[in-house]
């Protein structure tokens, strides 16, 4: 199960050992680093072929008091990209050096036209050029490694209501499967739609129990607290997890809620 963390830290030498390596579980387009997407590679393997030690120690601690829902990703040069969701007045995408210094942050959210707090349920994905791609509540964003915005695509104009639980690279395109069951692929260079949006044959998921009253208070934007809880638990929405992309064929695998309570779709 995903866990909502109250802080970001780096233990031992993980960031220092993020040099590029060939990963057979990684589809073309993704950066060849130790952790370039939410489950390390396009296969969602969560496998890192790095030698580890039991003699670990905390090297640094940043983003104190912020909530992090998805794992940070690590570029080939050791830069860590983490996403938080504190709400208006706060930055939500953070680039952190291997030494624990903040290199840059997205502009603070002033309105939903900015990079907003709903990005917290997505991890960034890194391409082979080092560019960073991630969705928020109503947009899909691309950033250059220096933090400059490459492009922004408005999702409601494409008929997509809600964000993505982490994006994907497929056949040279970037996109994802939205929480309302829409498959979107964009040109990586411009953010323009590459092909018609595909509406999966599912429906909204079942409703679940309300969020426990004290959970995540003061860690996440109060406006999205219920929604983040529902996505974490797999309730209400059609898609609540990250698709996998086959490393050789590019075939997309995604699990979602079916048209009625007796079935799902894959």
């Amino acid at each position: 199960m995903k866990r909502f963390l109250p802080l970001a830290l780096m233990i031992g030498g993980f960031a220092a050992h993020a040099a590029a390596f060939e990963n057979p579980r990684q589809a073309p387009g993704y950066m060849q680093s130790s952790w370039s997407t939410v489950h390390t590679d396009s296969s969602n393997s969560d496998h890192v072929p790095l030698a580890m030690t039991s003699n670990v120690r905390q090297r640094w601690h940043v983003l104190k008091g912020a909530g992090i829902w998805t794992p940070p990703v690590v570029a080939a040069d050791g830069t860590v990209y983490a996403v938080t969701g504190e709400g208006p007045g706060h930055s939500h995408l953070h680039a952190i050096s291997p030494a624990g210094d903040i290199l840059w942050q997205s502009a603070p959210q002033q309105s939903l036209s900015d990079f907003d707090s709903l990005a917290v349920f997505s991890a960034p994905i890194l391409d082979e050029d080092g560019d960073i791609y991630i969705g928020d509540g109503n947009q899909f964003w691309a950033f250059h490694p220096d933090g400059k915005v490459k492009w922004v695509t408005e999702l409601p104009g494409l008929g997509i209501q809600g964000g993505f639980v982490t994006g994907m690279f497929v056949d040279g395109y970037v996109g994802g499967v939205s929480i309302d069951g829409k498959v979107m692929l964009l040109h990586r260079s411009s953010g323009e739609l590459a092909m018609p949006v595909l509406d999966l044959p599912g429906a909204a998921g079942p409703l679940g129990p309300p969020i426990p009253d004290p959970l995540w208070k003061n860690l996440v934007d109060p406006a999205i607290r219920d929604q983040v809880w529902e996505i974490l638990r797999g309730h209400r929405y059609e898609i609540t997890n990250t698709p996998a992309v086959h490393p050789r064929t590019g075939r997309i695998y995604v699990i979602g809620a079916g048209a009625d309570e007796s079935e799902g779709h894959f």
Side-chain angles (χ1 to χ4, degrees):
M1 176 181 290
K2 300 181 182 72
R3 298 185 183 276
F4 200 96
L5 307 178
L7 49 84
L9 54 83
M10 188 57 59
I11 296 176
F14 183 76
H17 293 286
F21 58 91
E22 293 299 321
N23 184 346
R25 302 172 181 86
Q26 192 70 285
Y30 290 84
M31 176 178 285
Q32 288 287 346
S33 70
S34 60
W35 206 276
S36 62
T37 184
V38 63
H39 293 293
T40 191
D41 51 39
S42 69
S43 303
N44 290 345
S45 72
D46 291 312
H47 173 71
V48 181
L50 300 177
M52 298 299 291
T53 175
S54 60
N55 183 25
V56 297
R57 67 189 187 281
Q58 180 177 307
R59 297 183 62 197
W60 42 260
H61 181 180
V62 296
L63 307 180
K64 297 179 181 180
I68 296 178
W69 187 47
T70 54
V73 298
V74 185
D77 65 359
T79 300
V80 176
Y81 296 98
V83 182
T84 55
E86 295 177 273
H90 296 273
S91 298
H92 297 125
L93 176 61
H94 317 268
I96 306 163
S97 77
D101 300 315
I102 299 292
L103 299 175
W104 57 264
Q105 301 179 99
S106 58
Q109 177 187 340
Q110 303 300 329
S111 72
L112 293 181
S113 296
D114 302 313
F115 187 71
D116 67 61
S117 59
L118 271 175
V120 74
F121 61 71
S122 298
I125 55 174
L126 309 177
D127 72 9
E128 68 269 24
D129 297 323
D131 289 337
I132 305 108
Y133 303 83
I134 184 170
D136 63 12
N138 60 349
Q139 298 162 313
F140 198 81
W141 294 73
F143 296 86
H144 291 298
D146 62 0
K148 293 181 180 178
V149 175
K150 182 178 178 180
W151 47 256
V152 184
T153 296
E154 301 291 334
L155 300 180
L158 302 179
I160 296 172
Q161 302 300 321
F164 299 82
V165 187
T166 305
M168 61 186 179
F169 297 119
V170 181
D171 293 337
Y173 304 113
V174 65
V177 184
S178 64
I179 59 176
D180 62 341
K182 307 293 197 310
V183 183
M184 176 195 77
L185 292 177
L186 305 172
H187 291 285
R188 280 166 46 193
S189 60
S190 64
E192 295 179 352
L193 193 65
M195 57 195 69
V197 172
L198 173 66
D199 189 357
L200 296 176
L207 298 179
I211 185 171
D213 183 63
L215 187 64
W216 304 338
K217 284 189 174 179
N218 303 317
L219 294 176
V220 67
D221 182 357
I224 67 168
R225 185 168 162 264
D226 288 345
Q227 188 173 4
V228 172
W229 166 253
E230 289 160 342
I231 293 171
L232 171 67
R233 300 277 293 180
H235 292 136
R236 181 179 170 186
Y237 299 100
E238 184 175 345
I239 306 293
T240 58
N241 216 320
T242 305
V245 181
H246 194 284
R248 293 185 299 278
T249 67
R251 182 171 292 176
I252 303 167
Y253 297 88
V254 60
I255 294 175
D260 59 58
E261 293 184 0
S262 66
E263 62 181 21
H265 65 78
F266 175 76

